[in-house]
Amino acid sequence: MIGTTLLRGVGTDVAGTRDSLVQRVTHFEGLKTNARLPLHIKCKKGRRRGDMRATNPSLRVEATIETNPGLNGGLPPSAKTVTLESVANNSATPLSPNSAKRHADENIRDEARRQGLANPPNTFSAKYVPFCPGIETDEEYSIDEVVYRSKSGALLDVQHDMAALKKFDGAYWRDLFDSRVGKTTWPYGSGVWSKKEWVLPEIDDDDIVSVFEGNSNLFWAERFGKEIVGMSDLWVKHCGISHTGSFKDLGMTVLVSQVNRLRRLGKPLLGVGCASTGDTSAALSAYCAAAGIPAIVFLPANRISIAQLVQPIANGALVLSMDTDFDGCMRLIKEVTTELPIYLANSLNSLRLEGQKTAAIEILQQFDWEVPDWVIVPGGNLGNIYAFYKGFQMCKELGLVDKMPRLVCAQAANANPLYRAYIDGYESFKPVTALPTFASAIQIGDPVSIDRAIYALQNSDGIVEEASEEEIMDVCAQADSRGMFTCPHTGVALTALLKLRKRNIIKPSDRTVVVSTAHGLKFTQSKVAYHSSELPDISSRFANPPVQVGADFSSVMEVLKQKLSLQ
Ligand SMILES: Cc1ncc(COP(=O)(O)O)c(C=O)c1O
Ligand SMILES: N[C@@H](CCOP(=O)(O)O)C(=O)O
């Protein structure tokens, strides 16, 4: 032991056990040395029983530092040496109040670097493996390869080094993730990158393209729960309150960041492309524009909303509008991306799901790591239901929680290939020609992630439900009139809830989360038509049309008396 020093400094978690913490500490004012020493830091601030751990990476902590270069101080194997800079004396020196503040001439990436928060020593890794549950294989690919399918044509999955992650217990991960919420620290201010170790652990923070997505609200749907489904514990995870108005931002930050990295490494990628029903293209275009990377989007002509169409146009993407449906666009983008060095951004690319899975982790985090009974997700190309499964499953396997919620995947009856397979006991799967649906973003007949979805549902005691067009529009109107502003896909999920409540499969007191996948403002045309009772074959039972009234006092009073039942 060469010395014990009481210091105040800024540090970030590198590794820890229940009663000790290893931090990377680079900023102690007044210290001057270039010695590289393993540090064992015991923090006096802790948040859990017997847990002497500072949980906030940017928190100033009072730390006792025991340095032991010879014996490594009993550190966990992943602990790294830390460079102490500026050692002038070896006495306790308080951090000046301003030293954690950003200098006028630095940006938040520089700030994170100065504070020692950027690219902390990393012992985690991930790779692509074939998605073939239960089948042993040595086939694997680096995340830096451009590959979407296995040799046998199976989907791929991102596999994390679970043994490395398991060196830290559930409490460690819970506290680490909790410590990052609500900050602007690069890149952890993002709900996705706050889980970086579980997403893309090896990417350089400088390559990350993020608009601090995620951290979306999970709200209590009090009136809808009580009045429509007789439930007291109904919640909506609003992934549509997001930069481009849908959950796609969660996956796209990961995918575009990786493309950014590949281009920096010299891979000749011309741009990034996708087929889309409107939300993937919006997210891709925005992230590519933020990074200065060309985006190419294939859209089915006249099948997406105006609000969705204008997004890639405004973001400067190359927009190809095609006289086919989404499945047709998907077939074409797959062909094109094998011919040209254009990186594929659809969820066939398993990188996307690594970002999307963080919404599941967030739900647990928002419930203070209590597991809900049910989570209901609308499904189209079926990547998201697997992403939710994966997020919940990782939390269970790594000890953050002790069980999984039951998953429900909800489809529009006009585009229901998964529902049909479910009814058939998953004996067979047949693609369908998807018919138009108000839930236009899930008008998909040949979902690329069908295998992932079936696996997720089978392993979460899952259920598949479907919703007719009238059910979708009616439930949206019922939800909206109780304070929501739902997109039709959320209507599909709410219909599934309604049906499962009617059959008493979901019980009145079951804690249930409905995932709202897009913002209702993207889908106003059908709402306007519903409330004007202009939709063919739909009775618009809950329409609330505007009242045309003369612009004079007596006409207004007459209407008010009648509508408000006044005498
Ligand atoms: C708004 C919205 N909800 C739900 C989905 C379904 O997600 P997934 O394709 O991952 O099943 C999509 C896209 O497909 C979507 O854009
Ligand atoms: N709803 C999606 C359809 C494509 O899904 P993806 O997750 O495979 O990109 C869209 O908005 O395009």
Side-chain angles (χ1 to χ4, degrees), residues 247-248 277 279 356 378-384 441-442 444 489 517-518:
F247 72 97
K248 305 285 179 175
T277 53
D279 292 323
Q356 289 173 212
N381 222 9
L382 300 180
N384 212 25
I442 54 176
I444 297 172
H489 319 85
T517 44

Side-chain angles (χ1 to χ4, degrees), residues 246-248 252 274-282 298-299 308 326 330 345-349 352-353 356 380-384 440-444 448-449 489 522:
S246 87
F247 72 97
K248 305 285 179 175
M252 212 52 85
C274 72
S276 184
T277 53
D279 292 323
T280 298
S281 44
F298 290 10
L299 303 178
Q308 289 173 311
F326 169 80
M330 191 70 221
N346 284 101
S347 58
L348 171 61
N349 186 327
R352 280 259 314 277
L353 306 184
Q356 289 173 212
N381 222 9
L382 300 180
N384 212 25
S440 53
I442 54 176
Q443 189 189 335
I444 297 172
V448 298
S449 287
H489 319 85
K522 282 188 161 196

Side-chain angles (χ1 to χ4, degrees), residues 96-398:
S96 81
N98 287 332
S99 63
K101 287 221 173 114
R102 191 162 76 241
H103 299 156
D105 59 349
E106 71 179 6
N107 62 38
I108 61 168
R109 289 186 203 258
D110 301 332
E111 178 187 45
R113 217 174 287 120
R114 174 174 60 79
Q115 292 183 335
L117 302 175
N119 295 316
N122 171 54
T123 51
F124 308 113
S125 63
K127 61 190 176 192
Y128 294 124
V129 297
F131 180 80
C132 310
I135 298 173
E136 289 288 315
T137 167
D138 290 340
E139 193 180 335
E140 61 179 55
Y141 304 91
S142 156
I143 299 288
D144 287 342
E145 285 185 59
V146 177
V147 55
Y148 314 116
R149 287 207 184 260
S150 74
K151 284 183 198 135
S152 67
L155 295 163
L156 297 178
D157 200 17
V158 173
Q159 189 181 78
H160 289 266
D161 179 352
M162 295 302 278
L165 293 171
K166 278 180 188 168
K167 290 199 176 121
F168 304 94
D169 65 7
Y172 172 82
W173 290 116
R174 284 196 302 260
D175 287 349
L176 181 66
F177 294 160
D178 285 348
S179 76
R180 291 170 173 169
V181 175
K183 302 289 178 337
T184 53
T185 312
W186 185 265
Y188 305 126
S190 155
V192 172
W193 296 107
S194 65
K195 278 99 189 161
K196 184 185 176 197
E197 294 82 352
W198 293 24
V199 172
L200 267 194
E202 291 161 290
I203 196 164
D204 193 303
D205 288 350
D206 276 350
D207 289 330
I208 289 175
V209 183
S210 167
V211 292
F212 283 8
E213 50 291 306
N215 292 324
S216 58
N217 56 329
L218 173 65
F219 70 86
W220 181 38
E222 183 179 7
R223 269 192 75 202
F224 185 90
K226 194 169 155 193
E227 295 170 16
I228 307 297
V229 282
M231 294 178 79
S232 55
D233 210 2
L234 175 65
W235 298 77
V236 175
K237 174 69 173 166
H238 207 330
C239 298
I241 297 185
S242 176
H243 184 57
T244 71
S246 87
F247 72 97
K248 305 285 179 175
D249 293 347
L250 303 175
M252 212 52 85
T253 180
V254 177
L255 185 132
V256 174
S257 297
Q258 178 62 11
V259 173
N260 206 27
R261 168 182 164 82
L262 294 177
R263 282 163 62 100
R264 185 180 54 76
L265 293 177
K267 291 250 180 200
L269 290 172
L270 282 180
V272 194
C274 72
S276 184
T277 53
D279 292 323
T280 298
S281 44
L284 176 64
S285 312
Y287 282 86
C288 280
I293 298 172
I296 303 108
V297 305
F298 290 10
L299 303 178
N302 304 319
R303 286 178 161 94
I304 72 173
S305 75
I306 298 286
Q308 289 173 311
L309 175 61
V310 77
Q311 291 183 287
I313 292 173
N315 284 135
L318 173 59
V319 179
L320 303 189
S321 179
M322 300 176 173
D323 190 14
T324 179
D325 57 9
F326 169 80
D327 297 298
C329 292
M330 191 70 221
R331 278 191 293 276
L332 281 164
I333 193 77
K334 280 195 272 184
E335 272 181 56
V336 167
T337 49
T338 55
E339 273 304 303
L340 297 176
I342 294 175
Y343 196 74
L344 180 66
N346 284 101
S347 58
L348 171 61
N349 186 327
S350 47
L351 270 186
R352 280 259 314 277
L353 306 184
E354 292 308 294
Q356 289 173 212
K357 81 181 179 198
T358 61
I361 307 170
E362 262 180 34
I363 289 174
L364 299 175
Q365 193 169 16
Q366 286 165 311
F367 283 134
D368 213 4
W369 305 102
E370 278 182 25
V371 182
D373 298 298
W374 299 90
V375 175
I376 308 179
V377 186
N381 222 9
L382 300 180
N384 212 25
I385 185 75
Y386 178 69
F388 269 88
Y389 168 80
K390 196 171 179 186
F392 289 128
Q393 208 282 332
M394 275 185 88
C395 285
K396 180 165 173 249
E397 191 176 345
L398 291 167

